[in-house]
Protein backbone atom coordinates (compact mmCIF):
# COMPACT_ATOMS: atom_id res chain seq x y z
CA UNK A 1 0.00 0.00 0.00
CA UNK A 2 1.51 3.34 -1.02
CA UNK A 3 0.37 6.92 -1.38
CA UNK A 4 1.85 10.33 -2.15
CA UNK A 5 0.32 13.59 -1.00
CA UNK A 6 1.38 16.87 -2.59
CA UNK A 7 1.06 19.43 0.20
CA UNK A 8 2.36 22.32 -1.90
CA UNK A 9 4.34 22.84 -5.12
CA UNK A 10 7.51 22.49 -3.04
CA UNK A 11 6.60 19.74 -0.56
CA UNK A 12 5.33 16.19 -0.91
CA UNK A 13 4.91 13.28 1.49
CA UNK A 14 5.04 9.63 0.50
CA UNK A 15 4.05 6.72 2.70
CA UNK A 16 4.15 2.98 2.11
CA UNK A 17 3.22 -0.09 4.15
CA UNK A 18 3.84 -3.73 3.34
CA UNK A 19 2.52 -6.81 5.08
CA UNK A 20 4.05 -10.13 4.02
CA UNK A 21 2.66 -13.54 4.89
CA UNK A 22 3.92 -16.63 3.12
CA UNK A 23 1.32 -19.40 3.09
CA UNK A 24 2.99 -21.72 0.59
CA UNK A 25 4.95 -24.89 1.16
CA UNK A 26 8.58 -23.84 1.53
CA UNK A 27 11.40 -26.23 0.62
CA UNK A 28 13.55 -27.39 3.52
CA UNK A 29 16.42 -25.00 4.12
CA UNK A 30 14.70 -22.05 2.42
CA UNK A 31 15.09 -19.00 4.67
CA UNK A 32 12.94 -16.60 2.61
CA UNK A 33 10.29 -16.28 5.29
CA UNK A 34 12.81 -16.07 8.13
CA UNK A 35 14.62 -13.17 6.44
CA UNK A 36 11.47 -11.34 5.32
CA UNK A 37 9.85 -8.93 7.77
CA UNK A 38 6.09 -9.31 8.12
CA UNK A 39 5.56 -5.54 8.44
CA UNK A 40 7.42 -2.56 7.01
CA UNK A 41 6.55 1.12 7.08
CA UNK A 42 8.21 3.85 5.00
CA UNK A 43 7.60 7.60 5.13
CA UNK A 44 9.37 10.21 2.99
CA UNK A 45 9.22 13.99 3.07
CA UNK A 46 10.63 15.78 0.01
CA UNK A 47 10.85 19.54 0.42
CA UNK A 48 12.36 22.12 -1.94
CA UNK A 49 12.27 25.39 0.04
CA UNK A 50 13.97 27.30 -2.78
CA UNK A 51 15.34 26.74 -6.27
CA UNK A 52 18.76 25.81 -4.90
CA UNK A 53 17.88 23.73 -1.81
CA UNK A 54 16.43 20.23 -1.32
CA UNK A 55 15.65 18.55 1.99
CA UNK A 56 14.70 14.86 2.05
CA UNK A 57 13.83 12.92 5.20
CA UNK A 58 13.09 9.19 5.32
CA UNK A 59 11.65 7.16 8.19
CA UNK A 60 11.60 3.35 8.10
CA UNK A 61 10.20 0.73 10.45
CA UNK A 62 11.14 -2.89 9.79
CA UNK A 63 9.57 -5.73 11.77
CA UNK A 64 11.64 -8.34 13.60
CA UNK A 65 12.86 -11.44 11.77
CA UNK A 66 12.38 -14.95 13.11
CA UNK A 67 16.16 -15.56 12.96
CA UNK A 68 16.66 -13.28 15.98
CA UNK A 69 17.05 -9.92 14.24
CA UNK A 70 15.02 -7.38 16.24
CA UNK A 71 12.73 -4.77 14.72
CA UNK A 72 14.16 -1.30 14.19
CA UNK A 73 13.26 2.28 13.31
CA UNK A 74 15.61 4.56 11.46
CA UNK A 75 15.74 8.00 9.90
CA UNK A 76 17.85 9.14 6.97
CA UNK A 77 18.25 12.82 6.12
CA UNK A 78 19.73 14.58 3.08
CA UNK A 79 20.19 18.34 2.67
CA UNK A 80 21.47 19.48 -0.72
CA UNK A 81 22.51 22.85 -2.11
CA UNK A 82 22.77 23.29 -5.90
CA UNK A 83 23.83 26.84 -6.80
CA UNK A 84 23.97 25.89 -10.51
CA UNK A 85 22.56 23.06 -12.60
CA UNK A 86 26.09 21.60 -12.81
CA UNK A 87 27.12 21.56 -9.16
CA UNK A 88 25.57 20.12 -5.98
CA UNK A 89 26.84 19.82 -2.43
CA UNK A 90 24.95 17.58 0.00
CA UNK A 91 25.18 16.46 3.61
CA UNK A 92 23.69 13.03 4.27
CA UNK A 93 22.95 11.24 7.53
CA UNK A 94 21.87 7.60 7.57
CA UNK A 95 20.52 5.48 10.42
CA UNK A 96 20.37 8.54 12.67
CA UNK A 97 18.22 7.17 15.51
CA UNK A 98 20.79 4.71 16.89
CA UNK A 99 24.57 4.31 16.73
CA UNK A 100 23.94 0.91 15.10
CA UNK A 101 21.25 -1.70 14.49
CA UNK A 102 21.06 -5.20 13.02
CA UNK A 103 19.47 -5.91 9.64
CA UNK A 104 18.73 -9.29 8.05
CA UNK A 105 21.11 -10.33 5.28
CA UNK A 106 22.00 -13.18 2.95
CA UNK A 107 21.33 -16.59 4.49
CA UNK A 108 23.15 -18.27 1.60
CA UNK A 109 26.34 -16.80 3.08
CA UNK A 110 25.36 -18.19 6.48
CA UNK A 111 24.85 -14.68 7.89
CA UNK A 112 21.48 -13.77 9.39
CA UNK A 113 22.25 -10.29 10.63
CA UNK A 114 24.66 -7.51 9.86
CA UNK A 115 25.26 -4.54 12.10
CA UNK A 116 24.55 -1.29 10.27
CA UNK A 117 26.33 1.78 11.64
CA UNK A 118 25.11 5.37 11.81
CA UNK A 119 26.90 7.48 9.22
CA UNK A 120 27.16 11.11 8.24
CA UNK A 121 28.97 12.20 5.09
CA UNK A 122 29.06 14.87 2.43
CA UNK A 123 29.02 14.65 -1.36
CA UNK A 124 30.09 16.98 -4.12
CA UNK A 125 28.59 16.37 -7.56
CA UNK A 126 29.64 17.97 -10.81
CA UNK A 127 27.41 17.32 -13.86
CA UNK A 128 28.40 18.26 -17.39
Amino acid sequence: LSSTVVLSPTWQLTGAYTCLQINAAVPEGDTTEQLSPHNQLYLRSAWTPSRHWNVDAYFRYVDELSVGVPSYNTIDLRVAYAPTRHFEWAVVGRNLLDPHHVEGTDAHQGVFGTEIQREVFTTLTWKR
Side-chain angles (χ1 to χ4, degrees), residues 26-83:
V26 179
E28 187 174 329
D30 186 333
T31 58
T32 302
E33 186 172 14
Q34 293 174 316
L35 291 174
S36 302
H38 292 286
N39 297 287
Q40 293 185 79
L41 177 66
Y42 166 88
L43 301 170
R44 176 182 181 230
S45 172
W47 180 45
T48 307
S50 73
R51 191 175 114 211
H52 301 293
W53 288 92
N54 290 304
V55 179
D56 296 303
Y58 305 85
F59 169 83
R60 287 183 300 128
Y61 165 77
V62 179
D63 211 356
E64 67 183 340
L65 304 179
S66 62
V67 292
V69 175
S71 65
Y72 63 90
N73 298 302
T74 189
I75 290 178
D76 300 341
L77 181 64
R78 179 179 181 274
V79 178
Y81 173 66

